[in-house]
Amino acid sequence: MSKKILFVCYGDSTSPKAWSNVPYLFSENLQKQGFEIMRLNIAPNEKHEILWEKYAGRFLSRFFRTQQYSFLKTPISRAIAYWKIKKAVKNNPDLYFVIFLSFDFYNKFNKVPSLIFHDWSYDMIILDRLKRKPYFFEKWFIKYQNEAFNKSDIVVSLFQDAQKLISERHGKKVHHLGANVVNDINFSKPTPDQILKQKVNSQELLLIGSSKYLEGARKLVQAVRILQKEYPDLTINFVNLPKDRLLLEETDRNINCYNYLDKGDIEQNKQYYNLLTNAKILVNPSEIWAAYSSTIECMYYYTPIIIKPYDAFTLDYGKEYEFGVYLENTEVATIIKAIRSILLMDEDSYTKLCYRAHELVKDQTWENYTKKIVELMDEIVKNKNS
């Protein structure tokens, strides 16, 4: 039986830069299990995306302010992607499976089974995040995804809440695999003792994110300004957040902003994991979502966390919080209280938080995760051949 997989994603799956390191780690661990990976990048042409945003996207945003219809969602982009998929499937007649790292496509060109894998569906972004009904043109792409869900042999979501909603809305069995997965690519991982020694003596707070976490980041800055009166060495390290939009003041100190850190680059990899190792607490006081992927990676590095609880997280790790603080709200006073409660801990109490954070995610490795994926694929192929 062929062990060849066509691995389809938006972006270069050999680079950690694509989708939070997921394609890189997913494909690398499939290779470790003996599969030959045929990689296909279906990311839209950058020029097409720029033109779309300059003209059609700007026009749509004028009348539909919160529209989520990028060039990637258009029938033109879809047709180009399917043309690439058709060509790759035809050139590899001995495929075992086609894996899509999106919910947008399936293999419609022969009998090789499809597995589609992602986090949440397009309708979830609109209905559950933006809390509105989809515009008529967004409904077109929801229909495309519905077709992909129902024509694929296996659907896997990273999140339990997405598993439930996709299954209900699209009438398709969706797998969750019991846990999420940590995107760890540390080239020189320190020992647990080395990590804990750094954390116990640290006064560094960490927030990893993007511009969508700006409001929470600004509140964190306000909280730290007040806390620095008690803890003058208290520092915030922001990763992938624009410094010029944090509303900093001239008197602000110990606030460091790092651009996006590429884990595929040796120096940037070292910088990223030094920040995780040195972080006393990960703090992301955002309202709806708190960067799930970087949160559990920090937990893997024994970091207590402070976040506002949300369904995707509490379904996986519970509502009883023994590895940091769940925020009742994201008011500055509440953030201050949460940070202070951890800074005031003695070494033994703090270390227990660190160990608890790590214990919850220590087995959520890509090696374990891909073994579960392979079991699902083997079951489908076995049933098709019986």
Side-chain angles (χ1 to χ4, degrees):
M1 175 65 69
S2 170
K3 297 279 279 184
K4 186 187 290 187
I5 289 174
L6 179 61
F7 196 79
V8 185
C9 79
Y10 294 116
D12 178 7
S13 59
T14 65
S15 169
K17 283 186 177 182
W19 183 28
S20 300
N21 324 135
V22 171
Y24 170 81
L25 287 163
F26 194 168
S27 59
E28 182 185 63
N29 279 274
L30 285 172
Q31 284 181 318
K32 288 178 181 177
Q33 294 188 50
F35 288 92
E36 181 185 357
I37 304 297
M38 312 301 294
R39 302 175 189 274
L40 180 62
N41 181 353
I42 56 168
N45 183 293
E46 191 175 339
K47 290 181 181 178
H48 294 163
E49 290 186 299
I50 292 170
L51 284 170
W52 175 268
E53 290 304 318
K54 187 176 180 180
Y55 298 105
R58 184 178 295 177
F59 176 81
L60 287 175
S61 294
R62 184 177 299 171
F63 297 99
F64 308 94
R65 195 170 55 84
T66 60
Q67 62 91 10
Q68 299 291 305
Y69 198 71
S70 63
F71 176 75
L72 183 145
K73 305 290 191 293
T74 64
I76 299 169
S77 176
R78 187 174 179 79
I80 294 169
Y82 261 131
W83 176 80
K84 292 178 182 178
I85 295 163
K86 181 179 181 180
K87 186 177 179 182
V89 169
K90 184 179 179 181
N91 290 340
N92 295 279
D94 56 341
L95 290 171
Y96 182 71
F97 238 91
V98 184
I99 295 179
F100 296 88
L101 269 68
S102 75
F103 291 148
D104 306 345
F105 304 94
Y106 67 98
N107 176 26
K108 59 169 71 175
F109 304 108
N110 61 17
K111 294 184 179 180
V112 176
S114 303
L115 182 152
I116 63 175
F117 170 91
H118 206 53
D119 40 29
W120 47 78
S121 58
Y122 186 54
D123 55 29
M124 283 184 67
I125 294 170
I126 297 165
L127 295 169
D128 304 292
R129 293 288 181 79
L130 298 177
K131 305 290 185 183
R132 64 167 174 81
K133 292 181 180 180
Y135 302 128
F136 70 92
F137 48 90
E138 292 171 331
K139 289 180 181 178
W140 301 339
F141 198 76
I142 292 171
K143 184 178 178 181
Y144 294 147
Q145 282 199 336
N146 182 69
E147 180 184 359
F149 286 131
N150 286 286
K151 294 293 181 68
S152 295
D153 298 88
I154 304 171
V155 180
V156 180
S157 172
L158 279 166
F159 300 115
Q160 281 195 64
D161 56 341
Q163 173 200 29
K164 183 174 182 291
L165 285 171
I166 294 168
S167 180
E168 289 173 354
R169 290 174 184 168
H170 298 274
K172 175 72 176 184
K173 181 180 179 180
V174 181
H175 299 270
H176 172 250
L177 307 187
N180 209 287
V181 61
V182 176
N183 299 328
D184 179 36
I185 317 178
N186 195 341
F187 296 147
S188 53
K189 191 179 297 183
T191 66
D193 285 345
Q194 289 171 329
I195 295 171
L196 289 167
K197 185 178 180 181
Q198 291 292 104
K199 289 189 179 298
V200 164
N201 299 312
S202 173
Q203 291 265 293
E204 296 183 14
L205 309 178
L206 179 63
L207 196 164
I208 303 170
S210 62
S211 56
K212 61 187 172 185
Y213 304 117
L214 267 174
E215 186 177 348
R218 288 167 179 166
K219 289 180 181 179
L220 179 56
V221 169
Q222 293 175 54
V224 166
R225 283 175 187 150
I226 295 168
L227 282 165
Q228 282 176 337
K229 295 172 185 176
E230 300 171 62
Y231 304 93
D233 295 328
L234 193 62
T235 299
I236 317 176
N237 295 316
F238 290 114
V239 177
N240 199 30
L241 276 150
K243 186 173 185 177
D244 59 347
R245 296 182 63 192
L246 285 171
L247 306 182
L248 299 181
E249 298 174 358
E250 285 186 15
T251 54
D252 284 329
R253 57 189 175 79
N254 296 347
I255 297 176
N256 305 313
C257 294
Y258 300 86
N259 294 327
Y260 171 81
L261 294 172
D262 179 6
K263 293 182 188 177
D265 178 273
I266 293 174
E267 287 304 313
Q268 292 182 51
N269 181 287
K270 182 179 179 181
Q271 178 72 77
Y272 180 84
Y273 285 105
N274 279 344
L275 290 168
L276 265 63
T277 301
N278 292 325
K280 184 81 171 184
I281 318 166
L282 174 79
V283 189
N284 191 334
S286 298
E287 273 293 332
I288 300 172
W289 188 263
Y292 188 113
S293 178
S294 60
T295 299
I296 62 172
E297 189 176 13
C298 284
M299 289 167 63
Y300 190 77
Y301 279 81
Y302 297 84
T303 315
I305 64 173
I306 295 174
I307 61 170
K308 191 166 186 284
Y310 51 97
D311 286 347
F313 194 87
T314 57
L315 283 169
D316 285 345
Y317 303 108
K319 294 181 179 178
E320 296 300 319
Y321 203 52
E322 302 170 352
F323 48 100
V325 180
Y326 275 153
L327 296 168
E328 295 175 12
N329 56 61
T330 59
E331 297 301 318
V332 173
T334 307
I335 299 166
I336 291 170
K337 182 181 176 182
I339 295 170
R340 186 186 282 123
S341 70
I342 295 178
L343 293 177
L344 286 171
M345 285 182 173
D346 58 45
E347 184 173 329
D348 185 55
S349 299
Y350 174 75
T351 303
K352 284 179 181 177
L353 279 188
C354 296
Y355 274 115
R356 180 58 179 157
H358 177 75
E359 284 293 314
L360 282 170
V361 300
K362 68 177 183 179
D363 296 322
Q364 294 176 208
T365 64
W366 271 102
E367 180 182 0
N368 291 337
Y369 199 86
T370 48
K371 284 177 180 176
K372 294 176 183 178
I373 292 283
V374 171
E375 286 175 8
L376 289 176
M377 293 193 297
D378 288 348
E379 180 90 18
I380 290 294
V381 172
K382 181 181 176 182
N383 291 337
K384 281 182 179 270
N385 293 336
S386 62

